[in-house]
Amino acid sequence: MDDEDWRRFITAYHHEHPGITEQLFSLADTSPYAWLAEPLVGVEGAVLDLACGSAPTRDQLPDADWVGIDLSAAELAEAARRGRGPLVRAGADALPMAFASAGAVCAAMCLPVLTPLPQVLAEIRRVLRPGGTLAALVPSQSGLSPSGVLGWLRVMAALRAVRQPWPNPQARDGLAALLRDAGFRVRCDQRRVFTLAIDSADAAALLAEALYLPGLTARRAQAAKRSLARWAAPGRRLELPLRRVVADLPTEQPSQEPR
Ligand SMILES: C[S@@+](CC[C@H](N)C(=O)[O-])C[C@H]1O[C@@H](n2cnc3c(N)ncnc32)[C@H](O)[C@@H]1O
């Protein structure tokens, strides 16, 4: 799948499923968004929430000079419906913000899907002030217990899928290295395993819808929901390993021109 195909897929997907990531994370034992936002509490300057979706981090940073940016009108409408803002519709590869105008960038569950990634990282660097902070939350491929592995095998078997075709798979467990290469100073790189409560048919259906699977037909999705609804049970937990990377832009920058 090339960048164009991916962009078409992800635009259509979020048009049909606004707020889906936040809904899925509402099944978690504790909020991944609170964990992501921790290092940004009290940060100086504007906080840009990149690819904000329904903007769940807005509630985690109530006192921040926060702005959410996303490409999807449907996601932004969902954020507005939840009373969150200000919001701007734009692509992450062409941010409508001035050079060095943000104190922090918050990137929840988006760097593995934003294309073209080098341009997106260049834009983050451009809008961050020297010494500014990037906090990113991404899926991790490691950290599952043996029962966690079995749980995911069960889910993917129901969906007849092997993996999600992330366009930037290196921006998951390899994110810290990627950011170092892009000129950031990585302050911390941590993995935490959350658990999702798959205890009802509704939770099972949400899980079946929440994965990026471009080849999934409506018929297969329905069959997967039925299969996962049979698997769902009180106390059923699915492990979800996530990685939080916090990185700063060095204060001494090579000279950069505004775009
Ligand atoms: C997995 S969702 C994460 C949403 C939100 N950050 C969260 O964690 O709930 C990925 C988001 O990236 C947005 N997106 C995808 N490609 C984009 C792009 N090129 N520029 C801006 N946003 C994009 C989608 O519309 C979607 O809202």
Side-chain angles (χ1 to χ4, degrees):
M1 204 179 226
D2 65 18
D3 277 5
E4 271 307 299
D5 289 340
W6 173 259
R7 213 178 250 233
R8 254 195 301 278
F9 162 73
I10 198 166
T11 302
Y13 175 87
H14 283 280
H15 184 76
E16 278 176 37
H17 301 95
I20 185 90
T21 312
E22 180 175 6
Q23 289 169 46
L24 183 71
F25 280 12
S26 73
L27 304 179
D29 49 341
T30 131
S31 169
Y33 299 118
W35 186 50
L36 172 64
E38 256 169 32
L40 301 181
V41 173
V43 83
E44 265 180 44
V47 176
L48 163 63
D49 190 334
L50 187 74
C52 64
S54 55
T57 67
R58 182 64 183 115
D59 297 353
Q60 305 295 334
L61 298 165
D63 301 325
D65 175 13
W66 180 100
V67 59
I69 286 182
D70 200 283
L71 199 55
S72 165
E75 287 284 359
L76 294 177
E78 176 63 17
R81 195 185 65 76
R82 292 171 183 252
R84 298 162 177 166
L87 303 162
V88 179
R89 187 174 181 201
D93 56 334
L95 295 173
M97 288 181 73
F99 177 72
S101 58
V105 171
C106 178
M109 301 302 287
C110 62
L111 291 177
V113 305
L114 299 179
T115 54
L117 186 60
Q119 175 68 19
V120 172
L121 294 180
E123 280 292 84
I124 295 173
R125 283 192 55 137
R126 183 182 67 77
V127 302
L128 268 182
R129 65 167 166 74
T133 300
L134 166 66
L137 185 70
V138 291
S140 170
Q141 280 191 292
S142 56
L144 287 174
S145 69
S147 69
V149 171
L150 287 178
W152 277 104
L153 284 174
R154 177 71 180 79
V155 171
M156 297 310 260
L159 288 157
R160 300 272 193 276
V162 179
R163 67 179 73 83
Q164 298 184 75
W166 308 94
N168 313 315
Q170 73 281 22
R172 295 176 298 173
D173 292 304
L175 181 60
L178 209 66
L179 293 179
R180 276 190 202 99
D181 289 349
F184 287 86
R185 290 218 179 97
V186 174
R187 207 196 302 168
C188 67
D189 177 14
Q190 297 157 301
R191 192 188 61 215
R192 182 161 162 184
V193 181
F194 294 82
T195 58
L196 303 177
I198 310 298
D199 53 9
S200 66
D202 283 350
L206 179 56
L207 176 62
E209 281 175 7
L211 307 184
Y212 288 131
L213 296 171
L216 187 67
T217 61
R219 196 168 164 188
R220 170 46 47 205
Q222 282 310 322
K225 284 180 192 176
R226 286 194 297 274
S227 164
L228 291 174
R230 289 193 295 277
W231 180 63
R236 174 83 64 207
R237 296 282 180 272
L238 183 67
E239 293 179 7
L240 180 70
L242 298 177
R243 185 169 288 281
R244 177 179 72 175
V245 181
V246 184
D248 300 313
L249 202 59
T251 41
E252 333 73 50
Q253 287 290 302
S255 64
Q256 290 186 38
E257 290 302 317
R259 279 184 345 137

